[in-house]
Amino acid sequence: MNLRIPLIELRRSVAPWAGAVVLLAALAFLHLLSGPWTKGTALWTAQWTSMAMWTRYPLMFLWPLAVGLGALQGLRDHRSRMSELLTSTPRPASHRAAALAGPTAFALVSAFGLLVVLGAVRVLAGDASYAHFGWLPISLVGALAVAAGAVLGMGVARVLPSVLTPPVLAVGTFLLASFLRQTTDGALPTSAVPNRLSLLSPTVAEARETLLTLSAPVHLGQALWFLGMAATGLALLAAAGPRGRLLALTPLLAGGAVALLLFPADPRGTYVIDRAAATQVCDGQVCVTAARRARLDQLAGPGKEALRLLRDALGERAPVAIHEATLPRALGGTPERSPGFLLVDFDDGMIGAARGEGLTRALIGQGLAPVCSPRSDTESGTLTDAAAQSVGAAWVLGAEPRPLDGTMHGADDQDALARPVWEELTALPPAEQRVRIGAMHTAAVSCSGDPLEALTGGASR
């Protein structure tokens, strides 16, 4: 089969329109809708892995769309009433199947590939300093899933040539993908079904943690599953009778069985820490992960100054270094703790947006009273936390307390809560002030008391 035949098929099929629809739908989702992919350190153009994960995420509706469009293409011969004529020609059925499936699969893979290329260009234009190829299997499996879904839709439409087949397949696969969908309410993504079954879906969970990536068994299992799906679709297109159609299911069933054996039974084996990305890169006592090496220059100066001032204020209890937090944590979970280290999270609005002297104040506040409240999308803590950090930072710096930025709490609210505590604290003798600062630090580090109440000499809650 020469190149001329696929080009003719490409022009007379729905393939170009299918590719355009999939690409435009994905771009509209990522650019016009607001979600975790548009903010924080895990936005879809921030890092290579998060870009690959977020371009897989819309497959929850792009994959059913590809299946439905493939089924529409599979009805072409039936609509033109040429099925009997084509089966009577001496041309092998496998050639006809490849000629029908190839252009649509190529267009859909090209559309998904163009989406990834656009994301890659945005990543290169940003400040992603961690370059690697670990994201490629994520995107390659996504492209394979789109093509396999379309080919399977063609095969099913050839076996069930009804005008209802495309919409029923599209809706059915959408419901299936939604049922198998993984969510990130916990530290690791979970699903309503067993982990192995959830991995049969081409979509992935929301990429809230930039250091998490899919494990090798997941890539291999999903690749075999979608290859089996594509093989079944081609076999259904070429099958001539009931027996051939039953045999055509063999690749799908075999691929699914092998994939289920390869898939990890637990989410901890599905989403794993990228060890290379999580490696700490340091400037003296200030360290960030390799994935965010570009932030080190901004953090190093203010971080070293904050460590020096904290050592003067807390003595031996002061943190000896600053490290970026690396452990995944659930929304609503307690922040990571590390004895002797000040752990920073760039998703924390107070840390992520601060620069220079403001960053020094924020780090001092975090070092004196690390947040114990459950995690939110911005990690800013409660109003009480912000007020305690504001008072503590002002005491260390020898300045008036100022509201902290990036905390989701208004400046007036912070000042109203912090000002009386500050006046009471500074009215005490210096030795007693130091004791209360130490009590605040102890209450915050142990998550066993109210830091602001400790500054007023109150009991732990």
Side-chain angles (χ1 to χ4, degrees):
M1 184 170 59
N2 57 40
L3 188 61
R4 180 168 160 269
I5 295 175
L7 290 177
I8 294 174
E9 288 285 345
L10 187 63
R11 288 197 303 269
R12 64 193 291 261
S13 69
V14 300
W17 297 105
V21 167
V22 166
L23 177 60
L24 292 177
L27 290 175
F29 177 84
L30 292 171
H31 287 90
L32 301 181
L33 298 181
S34 178
W37 54 90
T38 62
K39 55 191 175 184
T41 60
L43 76 162
W44 80 284
T45 57
Q47 300 286 344
W48 291 102
T49 300
S50 56
M51 181 275 294
M53 299 283 271
W54 279 123
T55 51
R56 281 276 298 271
Y57 184 74
L59 289 182
M60 183 174 62
F61 65 89
L62 294 180
W63 187 58
L65 186 62
V67 173
L69 290 170
L72 184 64
Q73 176 68 4
L75 290 178
R76 188 189 65 182
D77 294 343
H78 176 74
R79 291 196 306 268
S80 59
R81 300 179 182 179
M82 295 177 56
S83 300
E84 293 185 3
L85 175 62
L86 291 174
T87 54
S88 65
T89 62
R91 187 183 180 192
S94 59
H95 286 194
R96 293 197 305 271
L100 181 63
T104 302
F106 174 78
L108 290 172
V109 168
S110 298
F112 186 81
L114 184 56
L115 174 67
V116 173
V117 169
L118 292 174
V121 170
R122 297 277 298 277
V123 172
L124 288 172
D127 60 355
S129 56
Y130 175 59
H132 64 106
F133 294 102
W135 61 274
L136 273 176
I138 303 174
S139 296
L140 291 175
V141 170
L144 177 60
V146 172
V151 175
L152 181 65
M154 293 180 203
V156 174
R158 176 62 62 87
V159 176
L160 302 173
S162 168
V163 69
L164 297 177
T165 300
V168 168
L169 277 180
V171 172
T173 49
F174 176 74
L175 293 176
L176 178 63
S178 300
F179 181 66
L180 298 178
R181 176 174 174 262
Q182 295 180 327
T183 59
T184 52
D185 294 333
L188 291 173
T190 58
S191 175
V193 299
N195 187 70
R196 285 192 171 103
L197 284 179
S198 69
L199 294 175
L200 293 176
S201 170
T203 190
V204 296
E206 296 176 350
R208 293 183 181 271
E209 301 282 353
T210 56
L211 299 180
L212 286 182
T213 187
L214 292 172
S215 63
V218 175
H219 296 319
L220 180 58
Q222 289 187 333
L224 292 175
W225 162 240
F226 292 120
L227 284 173
M229 184 182 295
T232 289
L234 289 172
L236 289 174
L237 284 173
R243 182 179 179 184
R245 292 167 182 170
L246 285 176
L247 290 175
L249 298 176
T250 302
L252 181 68
L253 297 176
V258 174
L260 290 174
L261 291 175
L262 290 172
F263 288 152
D266 191 275
R268 283 188 292 268
T270 302
Y271 294 88
V272 296
I273 295 288
D274 184 340
R275 298 299 176 188
T279 301
Q280 297 285 334
V281 179
C282 301
D283 182 346
Q285 298 166 303
V286 181
C287 303
V288 298
T289 61
R292 274 182 280 276
R293 186 193 300 264
R295 303 294 296 265
L296 184 57
D297 290 341
Q298 299 172 351
L299 184 66
K304 292 174 183 178
E305 177 66 9
L307 288 174
R308 183 186 68 80
L309 293 171
L310 286 170
R311 187 165 51 252
D312 293 340
L314 297 175
E316 295 181 354
R317 292 178 295 174
V320 298
I322 295 176
H323 284 184
E324 182 182 350
T326 58
L327 293 182
R329 183 161 54 83
L331 292 173
T334 302
E336 182 183 351
R337 288 288 188 269
S338 179
F341 294 99
L342 169 54
L343 297 181
V344 297
D345 186 343
F346 288 109
D347 277 324
D348 183 336
M350 192 170 67
I351 298 294
R355 298 290 186 274
E357 188 270 339
L359 181 55
T360 301
R361 291 181 65 245
L363 290 170
I364 292 173
Q366 290 278 33
L368 288 173
V371 173
C372 287
S373 57
R375 178 182 184 179
S376 67
D377 283 338
T378 55
E379 193 67 31
S380 58
T382 65
L383 177 59
T384 300
D385 293 328
Q389 291 176 346
S390 173
V391 171
W395 185 86
V396 170
L397 291 169
E400 289 291 312
R402 292 190 326 210
L404 296 171
D405 296 327
T407 64
M408 292 182 63
H409 305 297
D412 292 340
D413 294 335
Q414 291 185 54
D415 189 66
L417 198 58
R419 181 61 58 177
V421 176
W422 170 256
E423 292 176 354
E424 179 181 344
L425 177 67
T426 53
L428 298 171
E432 179 62 22
Q433 293 180 29
R434 185 174 294 273
V435 169
R436 294 200 178 183
I437 291 292
M440 176 188 69
H441 177 68
T442 300
V445 169
S446 63
C447 289
S448 60
D450 186 334
L452 193 64
E453 187 178 351
L455 283 175
T456 63
S460 296
R461 61 187 174 193

